[in-house]
Every structure is written in C-alpha cells, then in structure tokens.
Amino acid sequence: MNTLVLRSRLPDGSFRKLLQQVRETALDAYTHQNLPFEKIVEELQPPRDMSRNVLFQVFFMLQRDPVAALELPGLKVSPMWLTNGTTQFDLTLGITDTDEELYGWLEYNTDLYDTATIVRMASSFRKLLEGIVMQPDQHLIDLPLLTPTERTQILEQWSASTTPLPSTGLVHQLFVQQATHTPVAIAVVYENHEMSYATLQRHSNQLAHYLRMRGVGPEVRVGICFDRSVEMVVALLAVLKAGGAYVPLSPSNAAERLAFMVHDADVELVLTLQQHRTSLPESTNTVALDQDWPAIAQHSDETPPDTVAGHNLAYIIYTSGSTGQPKGVMVTHESLANAYQAWDTAYQLRSVTRCHLQMASLAFDVCTGDIVRALCSGATLVLCPPTLLLDPQQLYQLIVQYQVDCAEFVPIVIRNLMQYLDQTGQRLDTFRVLAVGSDTWFMREYHALRALCGPDTRVVSSYGLTEVTIDSTYFEQSDAIVADGRLVPIGRTFVGTQSYVLDTHRQPVPLGVIGELYLGGVGLARGYLGQSALTASRFVPHPFSADPGACLYQTGDRARHLPDGTIEFIERSDGQVKIRGFRIELSEIEAVLRKHAALADVAVVDREDVPGDKRLVAYIVTCNGPPSSSELRDFVRQQLPDYMIPSAFVPLSALPLNASGKLDRQSLPIPDSARPELMADYVVPRSTSEEVVAEIWSALLGVDQVGVYDDFFDLGGHSLLAMRVVSRIRDAFEIELPLRSLFEATTVADLAEVVEAVLLAELEQLSDEEAEYLLSERY
C-alpha cells in the first residue's frame, strides 16, 4: 500500500462541487500512485520536525471488508481489533465498506486530543454526513455540524443569560439614592483628602447646574482632563447629572493626541485644573475647578431634574486605532447602567463590599467601572496614587490601612504584589471580591493568588472590551479542567451580555472548536464616533436575533468553549496586542513612524524574549541612514502616549517577508544588546554607586554598555522595569528608595546622586564607629 498525499480546498459552493474537485484530485494522483512516498520526501527535502509527520498529519483509509472475502473450510472468521498504543499521525480516519454498511474508527495522538474531543468530533462528522445525504446540493457552509440539542445548548444556554436585570435607574440616579441614604459616609479618599457622600452630592450638583447654564445637555460632549483626584470624580458625576457625555482626556498625553480628541469629539467644554490648562489646545473652552470653584459654588446644590434617557451618550472613550489615530467608542447611559447591575448581581456588591480601590487611569474605561461599582453601591472609593501601583509594599499598606475589600487589578500589578506577599509571608484576607483583568495571565498564577486570599474571597478573572462597556465575562473556579500552564479562561457572560464563538460564516462552532468571539446585548456601544464604515465592519448584524436592528461586536479574539460552557481565550486574530494592560493597535504606531522622513518602511511587533517582560520593538528600514533611538522615541512621544513608544528600534536593510508577501515575524532578529544610538555620548561610571546603578540597568534592560548620562527610558525602560530597578537598588545598598525617584532622576548619574544622598542621611544618624562598620559591610 503506497501513501498518496492529496490536497483539497473547500470551494464556494455545494457538496457536489467539492466531491467533483476531490474526485479529480484523486484521479490525478492515482496516475502517479506507483511513485513511492519516500521518494517524494527525498526529492522535496522539506524541513523535518520531530513533533509531526512530514507533508501531512491527517491520514484517511478506505477499504473493503477483508473478512467478507475470506472463506476457509471448517473455520469461522471474524475481525479482531488490535492496538499497539501508538499512532503514526495526528489523526487517522479509517472506513470499512461492507455489503450492509460503512463503519469507521478514529486513531489519534493523545498529546493533541483527549477522548471527549474525539467523541465530539465523531458525532459532528456523523451529523455532517447525515446532512450531506439528505441535501447533497446544499451549500457547504449550511451543512450541519451540531445536533439540535448541541445547538440549543450553545446558542441559548451558554451564549446568553435569560435572567432579567432589575431596572433601578441610571448610574447617576443610583448615586443620588446612595447619597440620600448614607450622607455622612465617606465616598472618596485620595491621599489626605476625604469627601463624604453628602459633600460629593452637593459639589456635583453645583457643577451640574453650572454645566446646564453653559449649555450642557443630552449628547453634548464635555472633556474631563485630570490626574487622579477627588475633582475627577466630581467632574464625572456632574457631567452625567447635567445630561451630557464626558470625554476622558489624560493630561500626560501628547499635545497632538489631545488636540485630535478634542476636535474629533466636538468637545464643547473641558473641565480640568489650572495646572493642566497648558496641556490643552489654546482655543479650548476650559473650566478649572480649583480656580473657578467660587463661581461654580454659587449654583444650586439641589439635584438637577433629569433630562437624559437611556439611549443618550454617557461617555466617549478613545482607544488605539489602526489608522494612526485613536477611535472614539460611544457608550450610552443604558449600557453603563446595565454594566453596574451585572456587577452587582454577580459580585453582590451592596451586601459584601465596603471599600473599593481604584487604580486605572481616567483615560481607560476600567476607571469608570471602579467609580461606578463603588459609588452606586454605597462603598468608599480609595483612589490609588500612581506611584504606588508598582511599589507593592506601599500598595499593600494602602490596602491594609483602608481595609480594601474590592478591587480590579491588571496582571502586572497583582504579580508584583503576590511576589512581595510571598516573600514577606503576608496575605490578602481583607478582600471579598478580587478581580484581575485587562490582560492575559496563567492558571498557576490564579491558583497562587487564591492561596494568598481568605476563604471568603472571590478571585475573579474579568474580560471585557470598551466596545461592550467595560466587562462582558468573568471566570471563577469552575468544573473546567485547565492546566496550570494555560491562560485563565474568559469565563461566562455577565447577565445582560451575549457571547458567541462563531466560524468565518458567523455560524456556531462545536464545543472545543476554535472560532472568533462575538459579543452583544445591552452593553453594546453605539459604535465608533464619525467612523460609519469601521462601525459597520465591527458591529455586524446579529445572526440569531429576531430584532432586525440587533448587532454583535466582532472582537478579533479567537476562542472556544470548554466542556462546561466556559470560554477559553486562544489568541488575537489581528494586530492588536496588550502591553502591561494597555490595548494597542500595532498599526497605529507604524502609521506614526511612517511619517518620519528618514524611514522607508517599518514593522512594530510585541516580543517577550525575557519571560514576563513583553515589550514593543520597531524594525525600521531607512532611506539615508538610521536616525538615533532618542530621535525616533521623541518623534513618537509627540503623537502617542508613553506606553505606545517602542523599547527598541532595530534597523534592517529590508523587512523579511514570507511566501505570501506578509511580514515573516519568525525571521525578525532579537534586538541587539549593544548600546543604542542615543543623544548622550557614552561616559564610563566614575564612582561605586554609579557602577552599581549602571550594572543593574544593564542587566534589566539587556544593554551591554550603560553610560552615566544615559536616560533609563531612552534605553527602553518602562514602569515595570523601574520597579525592578528600585527593588535591586534596595538589595544592593540596603536602603529604601521610593519608585518616583527613578521617574525624577532618569540618568545613572542623577539616580546615583539620589542613592548617595539617602546613604549620607542614614550615616549621619550613626556614630563614627557604626558608620565605619556599616560601610565596611556594604562595600
């Protein structure tokens, strides 16, 4: 028996068309069937891989029943199934044709498939064959793979919750109810500033009336430009109460990016502080809450009458866009209210939580989620200073100080905190709801986190997209068996959300089969501001809804259902990535870099050459010699936020392409560890402290030479590495150095000077003998 290697392509048509194509392919192959398979392999010399068979991995065998043709006098002959416990191929389908029936068997590689998967595959194949026999002229995409029971389970039981959410009002109305019920309770805390529910109610009412006077009402956009502060919360509530829609603007964003968002959103007015006015375009109408508050306070402190409905805009948040400009996602009051009710139903917020920690920047919808969860449930909202996020010791002290019992972390922050707790033998027993979201993390980390929490803590992995109002699904420990080395699953949908795993024709795929995740329900955004074509391409008609206007959001995430209905994330299907919790379109960075006159071509990829340190790398093809890394970094910084600036710029003569003309990521070289071209000349460290700091930077940044005037961030540093630098300096010098030190002293020389100042201050507190002994021990 000689093996024939056949290739089939599914045509756009009926099964009969496919049958004709396969018949022609087989007949063509049979004319050369005497050419040994081994000879083909010898001539082609394909790359060998010990993990799979060469040229093909799926084997099909059709044979006549050998027993029927075997007659021996005096003997009764029957087949015996034998197995040697191994398989030559990933998957083998054998079919035997008897006079009465076709019977078949599947042999499979147990490293790739488990028994339950093969049983489901056999069931789907049988269902497919039944559909072909019944209607052989039916279009291939319409042939059935699911039984009626399986289709009902996937589309009705797993994909959409039938539990109705209570209609208790919009989020600003829920806040008013809480402020009326518990006026003296503390609503917001930031550093040494506390504000009660009554005061927050009064201030937001006064500002809401002022905004009404300035013409703010339904569909009117108001920018809110703040760093983390109590004023930020006042402004957000006031805009909602006035009936308008807020547009978050980060003061740290590049001026060009801020100007684009203000113009694109048609912002009528921006609420901010005096110190941030210079960050905004000169022509912007601004109100500085600190400077202009006396005039605002003249307005009524009564809650203004509602003029807004659920279908009106609540906010517009800008996310990374593939065209080189961010895109504004429009979310309604109804969608935001649904998100809160879903959280409250899933987490029992009002009954089990009292103090929430807020860590996300205002520019991200997670911040809105933090604020809404706390203030609509009557809890205290503790705003975490940004410098504490990557300083686990101080972050833990803040959690303990306020007895925080609810928070949503990004994986990078919780990893640092878990490492600190493990080293110091401390726990997170105060939490009742501890969520981790905005990026992928692993099951081994999930289990480790559960071990650090109390028995009453619910450890949740949340998944969501701005286009479907913050959170859509959540995972808790379930019956699904997921190995420690796999990603934490997406989980199941919140009430009010729909989730479907569909194929390229938007039909449900069988359990365990990978498709693309689509989301729908009340939380679905209105679309992208001013981008009707993009909205139409991503917010597609709902294939399973009787409502002609219903849509689903095409997420771009590849996923599958596990046996208990849990959704498992597999990978992205496009150029979108998550870096340290930030959602980034790589093509947006590429579009900005292509504006540089010296660059002929560019490709930006995310790399993780060091485990746990994912970073952006730009591969550039230049016209007349590469510009310095510092120049390119400054060029990008003028148009994009810091988290979108590549850590390294690698010059190439040409981008490597595969046979289909696409970027060959596997051929992109690992960034060179040599010192990049910077503005500052290389200067050798001149003191012990400079040598130690330079060695720490060199090890963490993967750069061979670090000079005393080199900038940490120009070398590719970022906030996570900054925390590791501070940790190693603490170990090397036995001193406590705040994280902000590295953001204020960004060169080796400046940071070494800070270290020496701390050491000197410590030595001045000791006697001469103690100081001499300490120095001898350290050096």
Side-chain angles (χ1 to χ4, degrees), residues 19 339 367 454 515 566 586 726:
L19 188 63
C367 176
T566 297
L586 297 177
V726 170

Side-chain angles (χ1 to χ4, degrees), residues 704-761:
D704 292 338
Q705 286 188 328
V706 176
V708 299
Y709 298 119
D710 290 346
D711 187 281
F712 176 75
F713 297 98
D714 282 349
L715 289 171
H718 50 73
S719 53
L720 173 61
L721 287 177
M723 189 278 296
R724 293 177 180 170
V725 167
V726 170
S727 176
R728 294 203 181 184
I729 286 177
R730 182 185 297 127
D731 294 339
F733 294 100
E734 298 181 12
I735 60 173
E736 290 298 327
L737 203 63
L739 182 62
R740 66 176 182 273
S741 299
L742 188 49
F743 290 90
E744 296 168 352
T746 60
T747 68
V748 169
D750 290 341
L751 189 59
E753 190 174 321
V754 172
V755 169
E756 290 170 359
V758 174
L759 286 171
L760 182 60

Side-chain angles (χ1 to χ4, degrees), residues 498 500 542-551:
Q498 302 166 354
Y500 300 90
H542 196 315
F544 315 113
S545 175
D547 180 359
C551 291

Side-chain angles (χ1 to χ4, degrees), residues 394-563:
Q394 293 190 57
L395 178 59
Y396 183 68
Q397 289 173 355
L398 184 71
I399 291 169
V400 173
Q401 177 184 353
Y402 290 101
Q403 292 293 289
V404 172
D405 55 22
C406 182
E408 181 164 349
F409 293 81
V410 293
I412 186 174
V413 174
I414 199 66
R415 285 183 185 118
N416 293 333
L417 184 59
M418 289 168 61
Q419 183 179 16
Y420 167 76
L421 295 175
D422 189 57
Q423 291 172 348
T424 58
Q426 300 179 91
R427 296 176 55 79
L428 292 169
D429 291 324
T430 65
F431 278 95
R432 292 298 172 265
V433 177
L434 197 164
V436 180
S438 299
D439 208 344
T440 55
W441 57 312
F442 292 91
M443 283 301 298
R444 61 174 174 271
E445 297 174 305
Y446 178 87
H447 293 309
L449 181 57
R450 281 178 59 90
L452 289 171
C453 296
D456 297 327
T457 304
R458 295 179 62 184
V459 177
V460 173
S461 181
S462 62
Y463 166 88
L465 297 164
T466 305
E467 290 84 352
V468 201
T469 315
I470 311 171
D471 283 345
S472 298
T473 69
Y474 68 106
F475 171 84
E476 286 187 85
Q477 190 68 43
S478 70
D479 294 333
I481 300 175
V482 184
D484 280 356
R486 296 190 72 90
L487 296 175
V488 179
I490 289 172
R492 294 174 179 266
T493 55
F494 282 101
V495 176
T497 302
Q498 302 166 354
S499 62
Y500 300 90
V501 181
L502 307 178
D503 62 20
T504 55
H505 301 287
R506 294 179 189 146
Q507 292 299 309
V509 297
L511 190 156
V513 174
I514 297 173
E516 185 171 352
L517 181 64
Y518 289 73
L519 297 172
V522 185
L524 203 64
R526 188 185 289 180
Y528 298 115
L529 177 64
Q531 300 193 50
S532 57
L534 180 61
T535 298
S537 68
R538 300 306 295 266
F539 293 81
V540 299
H542 196 315
F544 315 113
S545 175
D547 180 359
C551 291
L552 292 177
Y553 177 68
Q554 186 175 358
T555 67
D557 286 337
R558 289 168 55 76
R560 66 178 178 178
H561 278 114
L562 297 178

Side-chain angles (χ1 to χ4, degrees), residues 366-377:
V366 174
C367 176
T368 294
D370 292 336
I371 294 171
V372 166
R373 279 194 296 268
L375 298 184
C376 290
S377 58

Side-chain angles (χ1 to χ4, degrees), residues 135-432:
Q135 292 182 303
D137 293 311
Q138 189 173 193
H139 199 287
L140 287 174
I141 66 171
D142 296 324
L143 289 170
L145 282 174
L146 302 172
T147 66
T149 301
E150 291 170 331
R151 189 176 178 87
T152 298
Q153 182 184 56
I154 290 174
L155 292 183
E156 297 180 17
Q157 298 175 16
W158 290 351
S159 296
S161 171
T162 57
T163 304
L165 279 172
S167 179
T168 55
L170 306 180
V171 294
H172 60 282
Q173 296 166 347
L174 293 174
F175 167 74
V176 171
Q177 294 173 19
Q178 289 296 336
T180 304
H181 181 61
T182 57
V184 298
I186 300 301
V188 185
V189 176
Y190 183 62
E191 295 183 329
N192 297 320
H193 189 185
E194 293 183 350
M195 185 175 284
S196 68
Y197 270 87
T199 304
L200 182 55
Q201 167 84 319
R202 184 174 69 256
H203 284 191
S204 59
N205 284 346
Q206 291 169 331
L207 182 55
H209 282 290
Y210 174 82
L211 293 174
R212 287 270 180 91
M213 183 266 293
R214 295 288 298 264
V216 175
E219 304 299 318
V220 175
R221 294 80 185 263
V222 179
I224 50 177
C225 183
F226 295 93
D227 287 325
R228 214 155 302 176
S229 62
V230 174
E231 290 82 1
M232 172 188 78
V233 181
V234 172
L236 186 150
L237 284 173
V239 174
L240 295 179
K241 287 182 175 184
Y246 64 88
V247 181
L249 304 168
S250 175
S252 61
N253 264 346
E256 185 174 325
R257 192 178 184 87
L258 284 175
F260 170 81
M261 290 190 286
V262 169
H263 173 75
D264 186 65
D266 193 20
V267 168
E268 300 278 344
L269 190 69
V270 176
L271 302 177
T272 187
L273 298 177
Q274 180 63 23
Q275 68 193 60
H276 300 319
R277 272 179 158 155
T278 55
S279 301
L280 296 161
E282 291 183 6
S283 59
T284 307
N285 292 321
T286 60
V287 176
L289 297 195
D290 50 352
Q291 186 179 61
D292 301 330
W293 191 256
I296 297 169
Q298 300 302 313
H299 290 76
S300 171
D301 59 5
E302 295 295 323
T303 302
D306 260 321
T307 60
V308 70
H311 65 270
N312 290 129
L313 278 183
Y315 62 80
I316 299 173
I317 283 187
Y318 280 82
T319 67
S320 183
S322 59
T323 61
Q325 295 286 7
K327 54 185 184 291
V329 181
M330 302 180 288
V331 176
T332 65
H333 281 268
E334 181 183 36
S335 295
L336 185 57
N338 175 82
Y340 170 72
Q341 295 296 350
W343 286 317
D344 189 38
T345 301
Y347 301 156
Q348 287 96 51
L349 295 175
R350 283 175 287 184
S351 59
V352 303
T353 65
R354 295 292 178 268
C355 185
H356 295 221
L357 186 63
Q358 192 280 313
M359 291 176 279
S361 164
L362 176 63
F364 299 95
D365 60 356
V366 174
C367 176
T368 294
D370 292 336
I371 294 171
V372 166
R373 279 194 296 268
L375 298 184
C376 290
S377 58
T380 298
L381 180 69
V382 178
L383 306 178
C384 178
T387 54
L388 267 61
L389 288 179
L390 293 176
D391 191 324
Q393 181 178 3
Q394 293 190 57
L395 178 59
Y396 183 68
Q397 289 173 355
L398 184 71
I399 291 169
V400 173
Q401 177 184 353
Y402 290 101
Q403 292 293 289
V404 172
D405 55 22
C406 182
E408 181 164 349
F409 293 81
V410 293
I412 186 174
V413 174
I414 199 66
R415 285 183 185 118
N416 293 333
L417 184 59
M418 289 168 61
Q419 183 179 16
Y420 167 76
L421 295 175
D422 189 57
Q423 291 172 348
T424 58
Q426 300 179 91
R427 296 176 55 79
L428 292 169
D429 291 324
T430 65
F431 278 95
R432 292 298 172 265

